[in-house]
Amino acid sequence: MPNRSIREIIAHQNILSAPETMTVREAAIRMAEAKVGAMLILDHGKLTGIFTERDILNRVVAKRLDPDATPLSQVMTSDPRTISADKPLAHALVMMDEGGYRHVPVMDSGQPVGMVSARDALGAELIEFENELQRREHLTEIML
């Protein structure tokens, strides 16, 4: 539930990252191959930004920029808000809701260790919700 720690959620996650100099097309290909909606942008191991599917849509395609010539530094979100790995999931969900975004970089001792997303955050809760719906349907069938 929302009290799970972020560390639990990202425990088996592989961090997808790129340098600021990578082109949008290269980043989009890597994100598609990894089946993720965002990547961390690092400079010598330090988090400098985040690049998301929304950035591709709003900052590249909608602005008619060339994805082969546009570096991530030009279209990423610089200095994104981050969350500690030891915080509860509920904290990340509040951040996402208040900030209007779906991905939050996770930091531990000043180092990027993962990314929590709305999709990741809702994984276990969605399964629990679906199970609850099935239980309710079963009860309704019995009562009829």
Side-chain angles (χ1 to χ4, degrees):
M1 296 290 287
N3 292 324
R4 288 182 298 142
S5 75
I6 299 299
R7 187 176 310 282
E8 250 180 276
I9 293 167
I10 65 164
H12 304 290
Q13 190 178 83
N14 291 321
I15 299 174
L16 182 63
S17 65
E20 296 178 349
T21 54
M22 181 178 279
T23 67
V24 169
R25 183 168 317 276
E26 290 172 297
I29 290 168
R30 291 190 60 210
M31 288 167 59
E33 290 172 347
K35 297 180 179 156
V36 297
M39 66 188 332
L40 301 177
I41 309 304
L42 305 178
D43 182 23
H44 296 91
K46 181 183 177 227
L47 179 69
T48 59
I50 183 174
F51 183 67
T52 71
E53 295 166 321
R54 283 184 175 178
D55 294 330
I56 295 169
L57 177 68
N58 297 320
R59 296 178 178 179
V60 180
V61 175
K63 304 259 173 149
R64 298 176 193 251
L65 296 178
D66 179 357
D68 292 312
T70 305
L72 294 178
S73 60
Q74 188 177 332
V75 292
M76 69 182 189
T77 299
S78 298
D79 300 316
R81 288 191 62 196
T82 64
I83 190 165
S84 165
D86 295 320
K87 292 283 188 190
L89 170 59
H91 189 82
L93 294 173
V94 169
M95 285 177 66
M96 289 180 213
D97 181 56
E98 289 177 349
Y101 43 82
R102 298 179 293 191
H103 299 87
V104 180
V106 180
M107 305 293 281
D108 192 17
S109 301
Q111 296 297 312
V113 293
M115 177 114 57
V116 66
S117 72
R119 174 180 278 176
D120 294 333
L122 295 176
E125 286 75 16
L126 185 57
I127 291 168
E128 186 174 322
F129 178 69
E130 289 172 344
N131 289 340
E132 178 63 23
L133 287 177
Q134 289 176 353
R135 282 192 291 273
R136 287 180 185 209
E137 285 178 20
H138 179 69
L139 285 174
T140 301
E141 289 172 4
I142 292 172
M143 295 172 66
L144 292 177

